[in-house]
Amino acid sequence: IALVDTPAATVSFLGALVVIVCPALAVLVDKKKMGFVDAPQTWIAAITCLIGVGVLELGGDGGFALEGADIGWGDVWSVLQ
């Protein structure tokens, strides 16, 4: 459903946000200490992953447009996947 309104690059980037959501859920649900001091490898890996996916998928035409905040229903479905 997301690919009807949103470019594949944006859908894949938003899908990669799971690398941030999972540690955040570990903090909220399991009450784990996941600060940068407690688990630096988790946050370094998450940031590296997002930068890598961003460079590969959002560079070029049809990517994520920040200037116009071009957010549609496809973006919402991508995040909810």
Side-chain angles (χ1 to χ4, degrees):
I1 296 174
L3 289 172
V4 172
D5 296 332
T6 306
T10 305
V11 172
S12 66
F13 179 76
L14 293 173
L17 290 178
V18 73
V19 299
I20 299 295
V21 172
C22 288
L25 284 177
V27 170
L28 295 174
V29 175
D30 294 337
K31 305 292 188 224
K32 288 186 177 180
K33 290 187 177 185
M34 294 293 284
F36 192 78
V37 175
D38 301 319
Q41 68 279 5
T42 301
W43 297 110
I44 291 171
I47 291 167
T48 304
C49 176
L50 285 181
I51 290 171
V53 171
V55 167
L56 290 173
E57 300 295 337
L58 299 182
D61 294 335
F64 197 66
L66 292 177
E67 8 352 290
D70 195 17
I71 298 172
W73 281 108
D75 298 322
V76 174
W77 286 111
S78 298
V79 171
L80 292 177
Q81 72 178 351

Short mmCIF file of all heavy atoms in Angstrom, two decimals:
data_model
loop_
_atom_site.label_atom_id
_atom_site.label_comp_id
_atom_site.label_asym_id
_atom_site.label_seq_id
_atom_site.Cartn_x
_atom_site.Cartn_y
_atom_site.Cartn_z
N ILE A 1 0.83 -1.19 0.00
CA ILE A 1 0.00 0.00 0.00
C ILE A 1 0.88 1.26 0.00
O ILE A 1 0.56 2.23 -0.65
CB ILE A 1 -0.94 0.01 1.22
CG1 ILE A 1 -1.92 -1.15 1.12
CG2 ILE A 1 -1.69 1.31 1.31
CD1 ILE A 1 -2.79 -1.32 2.35
N ALA A 2 1.99 1.20 0.71
CA ALA A 2 2.85 2.39 0.83
C ALA A 2 3.47 2.77 -0.51
O ALA A 2 3.66 3.95 -0.79
CB ALA A 2 3.94 2.14 1.85
N LEU A 3 3.76 1.80 -1.36
CA LEU A 3 4.44 2.09 -2.62
C LEU A 3 3.54 2.73 -3.66
O LEU A 3 4.02 3.19 -4.69
CB LEU A 3 5.05 0.81 -3.19
CG LEU A 3 6.25 0.28 -2.41
CD1 LEU A 3 6.66 -1.08 -2.93
CD2 LEU A 3 7.40 1.26 -2.48
N VAL A 4 2.25 2.81 -3.39
CA VAL A 4 1.33 3.46 -4.33
C VAL A 4 1.58 4.97 -4.33
O VAL A 4 1.59 5.60 -5.38
CB VAL A 4 -0.14 3.15 -3.95
CG1 VAL A 4 -1.10 3.96 -4.79
CG2 VAL A 4 -0.41 1.67 -4.10
N ASP A 5 1.79 5.56 -3.15
CA ASP A 5 1.94 7.00 -3.02
C ASP A 5 3.36 7.48 -2.78
O ASP A 5 3.64 8.67 -2.92
CB ASP A 5 1.10 7.50 -1.84
CG ASP A 5 -0.39 7.28 -2.05
OD1 ASP A 5 -0.81 7.25 -3.21
OD2 ASP A 5 -1.11 7.13 -1.05
N THR A 6 4.25 6.59 -2.40
CA THR A 6 5.57 6.99 -1.93
C THR A 6 6.66 6.27 -2.72
O THR A 6 6.52 5.09 -3.01
CB THR A 6 5.71 6.64 -0.43
OG1 THR A 6 4.61 7.23 0.27
CG2 THR A 6 6.99 7.17 0.16
N PRO A 7 7.76 6.95 -3.06
CA PRO A 7 8.86 6.28 -3.76
C PRO A 7 9.47 5.16 -2.93
O PRO A 7 9.47 5.21 -1.69
CB PRO A 7 9.88 7.40 -3.98
CG PRO A 7 9.15 8.67 -3.79
CD PRO A 7 8.00 8.38 -2.88
N ALA A 8 9.98 4.15 -3.60
CA ALA A 8 10.56 2.99 -2.92
C ALA A 8 11.72 3.39 -2.01
O ALA A 8 11.92 2.78 -0.95
CB ALA A 8 11.02 1.96 -3.94
N ALA A 9 12.48 4.39 -2.38
CA ALA A 9 13.61 4.83 -1.56
C ALA A 9 13.13 5.35 -0.21
O ALA A 9 13.72 5.04 0.83
CB ALA A 9 14.40 5.91 -2.29
N THR A 10 12.06 6.10 -0.21
CA THR A 10 11.53 6.64 1.04
C THR A 10 10.95 5.53 1.90
O THR A 10 11.13 5.51 3.11
CB THR A 10 10.46 7.71 0.75
OG1 THR A 10 11.03 8.70 -0.09
CG2 THR A 10 9.96 8.35 2.02
N VAL A 11 10.26 4.57 1.27
CA VAL A 11 9.68 3.45 2.01
C VAL A 11 10.79 2.63 2.68
O VAL A 11 10.67 2.25 3.85
CB VAL A 11 8.82 2.56 1.09
CG1 VAL A 11 8.38 1.30 1.80
CG2 VAL A 11 7.62 3.34 0.58
N SER A 12 11.88 2.39 1.98
CA SER A 12 12.96 1.61 2.57
C SER A 12 13.65 2.37 3.70
O SER A 12 14.04 1.77 4.70
CB SER A 12 13.97 1.19 1.51
OG SER A 12 14.63 2.32 1.00
N PHE A 13 13.80 3.68 3.55
CA PHE A 13 14.39 4.47 4.64
C PHE A 13 13.51 4.44 5.87
O PHE A 13 13.98 4.25 6.99
CB PHE A 13 14.63 5.90 4.19
CG PHE A 13 15.22 6.76 5.28
CD1 PHE A 13 16.55 6.64 5.61
CD2 PHE A 13 14.44 7.68 5.95
CE1 PHE A 13 17.10 7.42 6.62
CE2 PHE A 13 14.97 8.45 6.96
CZ PHE A 13 16.31 8.33 7.29
N LEU A 14 12.22 4.66 5.68
CA LEU A 14 11.31 4.65 6.83
C LEU A 14 11.22 3.26 7.46
O LEU A 14 11.07 3.13 8.67
CB LEU A 14 9.92 5.14 6.41
CG LEU A 14 9.87 6.62 6.01
CD1 LEU A 14 8.50 6.96 5.44
CD2 LEU A 14 10.21 7.51 7.18
N GLY A 15 11.35 2.22 6.65
CA GLY A 15 11.38 0.86 7.19
C GLY A 15 12.63 0.60 8.00
O GLY A 15 12.63 -0.19 8.95
N ALA A 16 13.72 1.25 7.64
CA ALA A 16 14.98 1.08 8.38
C ALA A 16 14.95 1.77 9.73
O ALA A 16 15.84 1.55 10.56
CB ALA A 16 16.14 1.60 7.55
N LEU A 17 13.96 2.58 9.99
CA LEU A 17 13.85 3.23 11.29
C LEU A 17 13.62 2.24 12.43
O LEU A 17 13.70 2.60 13.59
CB LEU A 17 12.72 4.27 11.28
CG LEU A 17 12.99 5.51 10.44
CD1 LEU A 17 11.78 6.44 10.47
CD2 LEU A 17 14.22 6.25 10.93
N VAL A 18 13.39 0.98 12.09
CA VAL A 18 13.21 -0.05 13.11
C VAL A 18 14.47 -0.18 13.97
O VAL A 18 14.38 -0.59 15.12
CB VAL A 18 12.79 -1.39 12.47
CG1 VAL A 18 13.94 -2.03 11.73
CG2 VAL A 18 12.22 -2.33 13.50
N VAL A 19 15.64 0.20 13.44
CA VAL A 19 16.86 0.12 14.23
C VAL A 19 16.88 1.15 15.36
O VAL A 19 17.66 1.03 16.29
CB VAL A 19 18.14 0.26 13.36
CG1 VAL A 19 18.23 -0.85 12.35
CG2 VAL A 19 18.23 1.61 12.73
N ILE A 20 16.04 2.15 15.29
CA ILE A 20 15.87 3.11 16.38
C ILE A 20 14.70 2.71 17.27
O ILE A 20 14.75 2.86 18.48
CB ILE A 20 15.66 4.53 15.82
CG1 ILE A 20 16.87 4.97 15.01
CG2 ILE A 20 15.34 5.52 16.92
CD1 ILE A 20 18.13 5.13 15.81
N VAL A 21 13.65 2.19 16.67
CA VAL A 21 12.44 1.83 17.41
C VAL A 21 12.70 0.68 18.38
O VAL A 21 12.23 0.70 19.52
CB VAL A 21 11.29 1.50 16.44
CG1 VAL A 21 10.10 0.94 17.17
CG2 VAL A 21 10.90 2.74 15.66
N CYS A 22 13.46 -0.32 17.97
CA CYS A 22 13.70 -1.49 18.83
C CYS A 22 14.43 -1.14 20.13
O CYS A 22 13.98 -1.56 21.20
CB CYS A 22 14.42 -2.57 18.06
SG CYS A 22 13.36 -3.38 16.86
N PRO A 23 15.54 -0.40 20.09
CA PRO A 23 16.15 -0.02 21.37
C PRO A 23 15.24 0.88 22.22
O PRO A 23 15.24 0.79 23.44
CB PRO A 23 17.42 0.73 20.97
CG PRO A 23 17.72 0.28 19.60
CD PRO A 23 16.41 -0.05 18.97
N ALA A 24 14.48 1.74 21.55
CA ALA A 24 13.56 2.60 22.30
C ALA A 24 12.49 1.77 22.99
O ALA A 24 12.11 2.05 24.15
CB ALA A 24 12.92 3.63 21.37
N LEU A 25 11.99 0.74 22.33
CA LEU A 25 11.01 -0.15 22.97
C LEU A 25 11.64 -0.94 24.11
O LEU A 25 10.97 -1.23 25.11
CB LEU A 25 10.41 -1.11 21.94
CG LEU A 25 9.37 -0.51 21.01
CD1 LEU A 25 8.91 -1.54 19.99
CD2 LEU A 25 8.18 0.02 21.79
N ALA A 26 12.91 -1.30 23.99
CA ALA A 26 13.59 -2.00 25.08
C ALA A 26 13.66 -1.13 26.33
O ALA A 26 13.53 -1.62 27.45
CB ALA A 26 15.00 -2.42 24.65
N VAL A 27 13.82 0.17 26.12
CA VAL A 27 13.83 1.10 27.25
C VAL A 27 12.44 1.21 27.86
O VAL A 27 12.26 1.13 29.08
CB VAL A 27 14.33 2.49 26.81
CG1 VAL A 27 14.11 3.52 27.89
CG2 VAL A 27 15.79 2.42 26.42
N LEU A 28 11.43 1.36 27.01
CA LEU A 28 10.07 1.58 27.50
C LEU A 28 9.44 0.32 28.08
O LEU A 28 8.78 0.38 29.12
CB LEU A 28 9.19 2.11 26.37
CG LEU A 28 9.57 3.49 25.84
CD1 LEU A 28 8.71 3.85 24.63
CD2 LEU A 28 9.42 4.54 26.92
N VAL A 29 9.61 -0.82 27.43
CA VAL A 29 8.92 -2.04 27.85
C VAL A 29 9.72 -2.81 28.89
O VAL A 29 9.19 -3.19 29.94
CB VAL A 29 8.63 -2.94 26.62
CG1 VAL A 29 8.03 -4.26 27.04
CG2 VAL A 29 7.70 -2.21 25.66
N ASP A 30 11.00 -3.04 28.62
CA ASP A 30 11.82 -3.87 29.51
C ASP A 30 12.53 -3.07 30.60
O ASP A 30 13.20 -3.64 31.44
CB ASP A 30 12.87 -4.64 28.71
CG ASP A 30 12.24 -5.66 27.79
OD1 ASP A 30 11.11 -6.09 28.06
OD2 ASP A 30 12.90 -6.03 26.79
N LYS A 31 12.43 -1.75 30.54
CA LYS A 31 13.09 -0.85 31.50
C LYS A 31 14.60 -1.07 31.52
O LYS A 31 15.25 -0.96 32.55
CB LYS A 31 12.52 -1.05 32.91
CG LYS A 31 11.02 -0.91 33.00
CD LYS A 31 10.59 0.52 32.77
CE LYS A 31 9.10 0.62 33.07
NZ LYS A 31 8.39 1.39 32.10
N LYS A 32 15.18 -1.39 30.35
CA LYS A 32 16.63 -1.56 30.24
C LYS A 32 17.31 -0.19 30.18
O LYS A 32 16.74 0.76 29.66
CB LYS A 32 17.00 -2.35 28.99
CG LYS A 32 16.65 -3.80 29.06
CD LYS A 32 17.19 -4.50 27.83
CE LYS A 32 16.91 -5.98 27.92
NZ LYS A 32 17.42 -6.68 26.73
N LYS A 33 18.51 -0.15 30.71
CA LYS A 33 19.30 1.07 30.56
C LYS A 33 19.96 1.02 29.19
O LYS A 33 20.80 0.17 28.92
CB LYS A 33 20.36 1.15 31.65
CG LYS A 33 19.78 1.42 33.01
CD LYS A 33 20.88 1.65 34.01
CE LYS A 33 20.27 1.99 35.36
NZ LYS A 33 21.29 2.34 36.33
N MET A 34 19.55 1.92 28.31
CA MET A 34 20.06 1.92 26.94
C MET A 34 20.65 3.27 26.56
O MET A 34 20.65 3.66 25.41
CB MET A 34 18.94 1.57 25.95
CG MET A 34 18.40 0.18 26.07
SD MET A 34 19.58 -1.07 25.60
CE MET A 34 19.53 -0.91 23.84
N GLY A 35 21.16 3.99 27.54
CA GLY A 35 21.81 5.25 27.24
C GLY A 35 23.11 5.01 26.47
O GLY A 35 23.59 3.88 26.36
N PHE A 36 23.69 6.07 25.96
CA PHE A 36 24.93 5.92 25.18
C PHE A 36 26.05 5.37 26.05
O PHE A 36 26.90 4.63 25.59
CB PHE A 36 25.33 7.24 24.54
CG PHE A 36 26.41 7.09 23.53
CD1 PHE A 36 26.10 6.61 22.26
CD2 PHE A 36 27.72 7.37 23.83
CE1 PHE A 36 27.10 6.45 21.31
CE2 PHE A 36 28.73 7.21 22.89
CZ PHE A 36 28.41 6.75 21.63
N VAL A 37 26.06 5.71 27.34
CA VAL A 37 27.09 5.20 28.24
C VAL A 37 26.88 3.72 28.52
O VAL A 37 27.83 2.95 28.63
CB VAL A 37 27.08 6.02 29.56
CG1 VAL A 37 28.05 5.44 30.57
CG2 VAL A 37 27.41 7.47 29.27
N ASP A 38 25.61 3.29 28.64
CA ASP A 38 25.28 1.91 28.98
C ASP A 38 25.43 0.95 27.80
O ASP A 38 25.84 -0.19 27.98
CB ASP A 38 23.85 1.82 29.51
CG ASP A 38 23.65 2.70 30.73
OD1 ASP A 38 24.56 2.72 31.58
OD2 ASP A 38 22.60 3.36 30.83
N ALA A 39 25.06 1.38 26.61
CA ALA A 39 25.09 0.51 25.43
C ALA A 39 25.54 1.30 24.19
O ALA A 39 24.75 1.53 23.27
CB ALA A 39 23.72 -0.10 25.20
N PRO A 40 26.80 1.72 24.16
CA PRO A 40 27.24 2.54 23.02
C PRO A 40 27.19 1.80 21.70
O PRO A 40 26.92 2.40 20.66
CB PRO A 40 28.67 2.93 23.39
CG PRO A 40 29.12 1.88 24.36
CD PRO A 40 27.88 1.46 25.10
N GLN A 41 27.44 0.48 21.72
CA GLN A 41 27.45 -0.29 20.47
C GLN A 41 26.07 -0.28 19.81
O GLN A 41 25.97 -0.26 18.59
CB GLN A 41 27.93 -1.74 20.70
CG GLN A 41 27.00 -2.60 21.50
CD GLN A 41 27.08 -2.41 23.01
OE1 GLN A 41 27.78 -1.54 23.51
NE2 GLN A 41 26.36 -3.23 23.74
N THR A 42 25.01 -0.26 20.60
CA THR A 42 23.66 -0.23 20.04
C THR A 42 23.40 1.07 19.30
O THR A 42 22.90 1.07 18.17
CB THR A 42 22.62 -0.39 21.17
OG1 THR A 42 22.86 -1.63 21.83
CG2 THR A 42 21.21 -0.36 20.62
N TRP A 43 23.76 2.19 19.91
CA TRP A 43 23.47 3.48 19.30
C TRP A 43 24.42 3.80 18.15
O TRP A 43 24.01 4.41 17.16
CB TRP A 43 23.48 4.57 20.36
CG TRP A 43 22.39 4.32 21.35
CD1 TRP A 43 22.54 3.93 22.64
CD2 TRP A 43 20.99 4.36 21.10
NE1 TRP A 43 21.30 3.74 23.22
CE2 TRP A 43 20.33 4.01 22.29
CE3 TRP A 43 20.21 4.66 19.99
CZ2 TRP A 43 18.95 3.95 22.41
CZ3 TRP A 43 18.83 4.61 20.10
CH2 TRP A 43 18.22 4.26 21.30
N ILE A 44 25.67 3.36 18.24
CA ILE A 44 26.60 3.55 17.12
C ILE A 44 26.13 2.75 15.92
O ILE A 44 26.13 3.23 14.78
CB ILE A 44 28.03 3.18 17.53
CG1 ILE A 44 28.56 4.19 18.53
CG2 ILE A 44 28.95 3.09 16.32
CD1 ILE A 44 29.88 3.81 19.17
N ALA A 45 25.68 1.51 16.16
CA ALA A 45 25.18 0.68 15.07
C ALA A 45 23.90 1.27 14.46
O ALA A 45 23.73 1.27 13.24
CB ALA A 45 24.91 -0.74 15.57
N ALA A 46 23.02 1.78 15.29
CA ALA A 46 21.77 2.37 14.79
C ALA A 46 22.04 3.61 13.95
O ALA A 46 21.46 3.77 12.87
CB ALA A 46 20.85 2.70 15.96
N ILE A 47 22.92 4.47 14.42
CA ILE A 47 23.23 5.69 13.67
C ILE A 47 23.93 5.35 12.36
O ILE A 47 23.62 5.91 11.31
CB ILE A 47 24.09 6.63 14.53
CG1 ILE A 47 23.24 7.19 15.68
CG2 ILE A 47 24.69 7.76 13.72
CD1 ILE A 47 24.02 7.88 16.76
N THR A 48 24.87 4.40 12.41
CA THR A 48 25.57 3.98 11.20
C THR A 48 24.60 3.39 10.18
O THR A 48 24.70 3.67 8.98
CB THR A 48 26.66 2.96 11.55
OG1 THR A 48 27.53 3.54 12.52
CG2 THR A 48 27.45 2.56 10.32
N CYS A 49 23.66 2.59 10.66
CA CYS A 49 22.67 1.99 9.77
C CYS A 49 21.81 3.06 9.11
O CYS A 49 21.59 3.02 7.90
CB CYS A 49 21.80 1.02 10.55
SG CYS A 49 20.47 0.31 9.57
N LEU A 50 21.31 4.01 9.88
CA LEU A 50 20.47 5.06 9.30
C LEU A 50 21.23 5.93 8.32
O LEU A 50 20.69 6.32 7.28
CB LEU A 50 19.87 5.91 10.41
CG LEU A 50 18.73 5.26 11.18
CD1 LEU A 50 18.20 6.22 12.24
CD2 LEU A 50 17.62 4.83 10.26
N ILE A 51 22.48 6.24 8.62
CA ILE A 51 23.28 7.04 7.69
C ILE A 51 23.50 6.26 6.40
O ILE A 51 23.36 6.79 5.29
CB ILE A 51 24.61 7.46 8.33
CG1 ILE A 51 24.36 8.50 9.41
CG2 ILE A 51 25.58 8.01 7.28
CD1 ILE A 51 25.57 8.83 10.25
N GLY A 52 23.82 4.97 6.52
CA GLY A 52 24.06 4.15 5.34
C GLY A 52 22.83 4.01 4.47
O GLY A 52 22.89 4.17 3.24
N VAL A 53 21.70 3.73 5.09
CA VAL A 53 20.46 3.61 4.31
C VAL A 53 20.08 4.95 3.71
O VAL A 53 19.62 5.02 2.57
CB VAL A 53 19.32 3.05 5.19
CG1 VAL A 53 17.98 3.12 4.48
CG2 VAL A 53 19.61 1.62 5.60
N GLY A 54 20.28 6.02 4.46
CA GLY A 54 19.98 7.35 3.94
C GLY A 54 20.81 7.69 2.72
O GLY A 54 20.31 8.22 1.73
N VAL A 55 22.11 7.39 2.77
CA VAL A 55 22.99 7.67 1.64
C VAL A 55 22.61 6.83 0.43
O VAL A 55 22.56 7.31 -0.70
CB VAL A 55 24.47 7.43 2.03
CG1 VAL A 55 25.37 7.40 0.82
CG2 VAL A 55 24.92 8.48 3.01
N LEU A 56 22.32 5.55 0.66
CA LEU A 56 22.00 4.66 -0.46
C LEU A 56 20.63 4.92 -1.06
O LEU A 56 20.44 4.86 -2.27
CB LEU A 56 22.07 3.21 0.00
CG LEU A 56 23.45 2.67 0.31
CD1 LEU A 56 23.36 1.28 0.90
CD2 LEU A 56 24.30 2.66 -0.94
N GLU A 57 19.66 5.19 -0.23
CA GLU A 57 18.28 5.24 -0.70
C GLU A 57 17.74 6.64 -0.96
O GLU A 57 16.88 6.82 -1.81
CB GLU A 57 17.36 4.54 0.30
CG GLU A 57 17.70 3.08 0.52
CD GLU A 57 17.49 2.24 -0.73
OE1 GLU A 57 16.71 2.63 -1.61
OE2 GLU A 57 18.13 1.20 -0.82
N LEU A 58 18.19 7.63 -0.23
CA LEU A 58 17.58 8.95 -0.34
C LEU A 58 18.35 9.90 -1.23
O LEU A 58 17.88 10.99 -1.52
CB LEU A 58 17.42 9.57 1.05
CG LEU A 58 16.54 8.77 1.99
CD1 LEU A 58 16.42 9.49 3.32
CD2 LEU A 58 15.17 8.53 1.40
N GLY A 59 19.50 9.52 -1.65
CA GLY A 59 20.26 10.37 -2.56
C GLY A 59 19.73 10.22 -3.98
O GLY A 59 19.57 9.13 -4.48
N GLY A 60 19.42 11.31 -4.62
CA GLY A 60 18.94 11.26 -6.00
C GLY A 60 17.47 11.64 -6.11
O GLY A 60 16.85 12.11 -5.17
N ASP A 61 16.93 11.43 -7.30
CA ASP A 61 15.55 11.81 -7.58
C ASP A 61 14.58 10.85 -6.91
O ASP A 61 14.83 9.67 -6.77
CB ASP A 61 15.29 11.80 -9.08
CG ASP A 61 16.07 12.87 -9.79
OD1 ASP A 61 16.42 13.87 -9.13
OD2 ASP A 61 16.36 12.70 -11.00
N GLY A 62 13.44 11.38 -6.53
CA GLY A 62 12.39 10.56 -5.95
C GLY A 62 12.61 10.23 -4.49
O GLY A 62 11.90 9.44 -3.92
N GLY A 63 13.59 10.85 -3.88
CA GLY A 63 13.89 10.58 -2.48
C GLY A 63 13.04 11.42 -1.54
O GLY A 63 12.06 12.03 -1.92
N PHE A 64 13.44 11.44 -0.33
CA PHE A 64 12.71 12.13 0.73
C PHE A 64 12.95 13.63 0.61
O PHE A 64 14.08 14.08 0.67
CB PHE A 64 13.21 11.60 2.07
CG PHE A 64 12.32 11.91 3.21
CD1 PHE A 64 11.07 11.35 3.29
CD2 PHE A 64 12.74 12.74 4.21
CE1 PHE A 64 10.25 11.62 4.35
CE2 PHE A 64 11.93 13.02 5.29
CZ PHE A 64 10.68 12.45 5.35
N ALA A 65 11.90 14.40 0.43
CA ALA A 65 12.02 15.85 0.25
C ALA A 65 11.82 16.55 1.59
O ALA A 65 10.73 16.53 2.15
CB ALA A 65 10.99 16.34 -0.76
N LEU A 66 12.86 17.17 2.11
CA LEU A 66 12.76 17.85 3.39
C LEU A 66 12.25 19.28 3.26
O LEU A 66 11.61 19.78 4.17
CB LEU A 66 14.12 17.86 4.10
CG LEU A 66 14.63 16.51 4.57
CD1 LEU A 66 16.01 16.69 5.19
CD2 LEU A 66 13.69 15.88 5.56
N GLU A 67 12.55 19.93 2.13
CA GLU A 67 12.15 21.33 2.04
C GLU A 67 10.65 21.52 2.03
O GLU A 67 10.14 22.42 2.67
CB GLU A 67 12.70 22.05 0.86
CG GLU A 67 13.43 21.63 -0.32
CD GLU A 67 14.00 20.31 -0.61
OE1 GLU A 67 14.96 19.90 0.01
OE2 GLU A 67 13.49 19.68 -1.52
N GLY A 68 9.91 20.69 1.36
CA GLY A 68 8.47 20.85 1.28
C GLY A 68 7.70 20.02 2.28
O GLY A 68 6.48 20.10 2.34
N ALA A 69 8.39 19.22 3.08
CA ALA A 69 7.74 18.31 4.02
C ALA A 69 6.64 17.53 3.30
O ALA A 69 5.48 17.54 3.69
CB ALA A 69 7.21 19.05 5.24
N ASP A 70 7.03 16.88 2.23
CA ASP A 70 6.11 16.16 1.36
C ASP A 70 5.74 14.80 1.99
O ASP A 70 6.26 13.77 1.61
CB ASP A 70 6.78 15.97 0.00
CG ASP A 70 5.82 15.58 -1.08
OD1 ASP A 70 4.61 15.75 -0.88
OD2 ASP A 70 6.29 15.10 -2.12
N ILE A 71 4.85 14.84 2.98
CA ILE A 71 4.47 13.63 3.71
C ILE A 71 3.06 13.25 3.31
O ILE A 71 2.16 14.07 3.33
CB ILE A 71 4.55 13.87 5.23
CG1 ILE A 71 5.99 14.20 5.62
CG2 ILE A 71 4.06 12.65 6.00
CD1 ILE A 71 6.17 14.63 7.04
N GLY A 72 2.88 11.99 2.93
CA GLY A 72 1.56 11.52 2.50
C GLY A 72 1.18 10.23 3.21
O GLY A 72 1.86 9.75 4.12
N TRP A 73 0.09 9.64 2.75
CA TRP A 73 -0.40 8.40 3.36
C TRP A 73 0.58 7.25 3.16
O TRP A 73 0.71 6.37 4.01
CB TRP A 73 -1.76 8.02 2.79
CG TRP A 73 -2.85 8.82 3.41
CD1 TRP A 73 -3.55 9.83 2.82
CD2 TRP A 73 -3.33 8.73 4.74
NE1 TRP A 73 -4.45 10.36 3.70
CE2 TRP A 73 -4.34 9.69 4.89
CE3 TRP A 73 -3.01 7.92 5.83
CZ2 TRP A 73 -5.01 9.87 6.09
CZ3 TRP A 73 -3.69 8.11 7.01
CH2 TRP A 73 -4.68 9.06 7.14
N GLY A 74 1.31 7.24 2.08
CA GLY A 74 2.30 6.20 1.86
C GLY A 74 3.39 6.22 2.92
O GLY A 74 3.87 5.17 3.35
N ASP A 75 3.76 7.42 3.37
CA ASP A 75 4.75 7.54 4.44
C ASP A 75 4.20 6.98 5.76
O ASP A 75 4.91 6.32 6.50
CB ASP A 75 5.16 8.99 4.62
CG ASP A 75 5.81 9.57 3.39
OD1 ASP A 75 6.57 8.83 2.73
OD2 ASP A 75 5.56 10.74 3.08
N VAL A 76 2.95 7.24 6.01
CA VAL A 76 2.32 6.72 7.24
C VAL A 76 2.30 5.19 7.20
O VAL A 76 2.66 4.54 8.18
CB VAL A 76 0.89 7.29 7.40
CG1 VAL A 76 0.19 6.65 8.58
CG2 VAL A 76 0.93 8.80 7.54
N TRP A 77 1.92 4.62 6.07
CA TRP A 77 1.89 3.17 5.95
C TRP A 77 3.30 2.59 6.07
O TRP A 77 3.48 1.50 6.61
CB TRP A 77 1.25 2.74 4.63
CG TRP A 77 -0.23 2.92 4.62
CD1 TRP A 77 -0.92 3.82 3.87
CD2 TRP A 77 -1.20 2.19 5.38
NE1 TRP A 77 -2.27 3.71 4.14
CE2 TRP A 77 -2.46 2.70 5.06
CE3 TRP A 77 -1.12 1.17 6.32
CZ2 TRP A 77 -3.63 2.23 5.62
CZ3 TRP A 77 -2.29 0.69 6.88
CH2 TRP A 77 -3.52 1.22 6.52
N SER A 78 4.29 3.29 5.57
CA SER A 78 5.67 2.82 5.66
C SER A 78 6.14 2.73 7.11
O SER A 78 6.81 1.79 7.51
CB SER A 78 6.61 3.74 4.90
OG SER A 78 6.28 3.77 3.55
N VAL A 79 5.80 3.74 7.89
CA VAL A 79 6.19 3.73 9.29
C VAL A 79 5.45 2.65 10.06
O VAL A 79 6.01 2.00 10.94
CB VAL A 79 5.93 5.13 9.92
CG1 VAL A 79 6.13 5.10 11.42
CG2 VAL A 79 6.85 6.16 9.29
N LEU A 80 4.22 2.39 9.70
CA LEU A 80 3.42 1.39 10.42
C LEU A 80 3.75 -0.05 10.02
O LEU A 80 3.28 -0.98 10.66
CB LEU A 80 1.93 1.63 10.17
CG LEU A 80 1.37 2.90 10.79
CD1 LEU A 80 -0.09 3.07 10.41
CD2 LEU A 80 1.54 2.88 12.29
N GLN A 81 4.56 -0.24 8.98
CA GLN A 81 4.87 -1.60 8.57
C GLN A 81 5.54 -2.30 9.66
O GLN A 81 6.04 -3.09 10.04
CB GLN A 81 5.68 -1.63 7.30
CG GLN A 81 7.11 -1.17 7.46
CD GLN A 81 7.88 -1.27 6.18
OE1 GLN A 81 7.43 -1.82 5.22
NE2 GLN A 81 9.05 -0.69 6.14
#
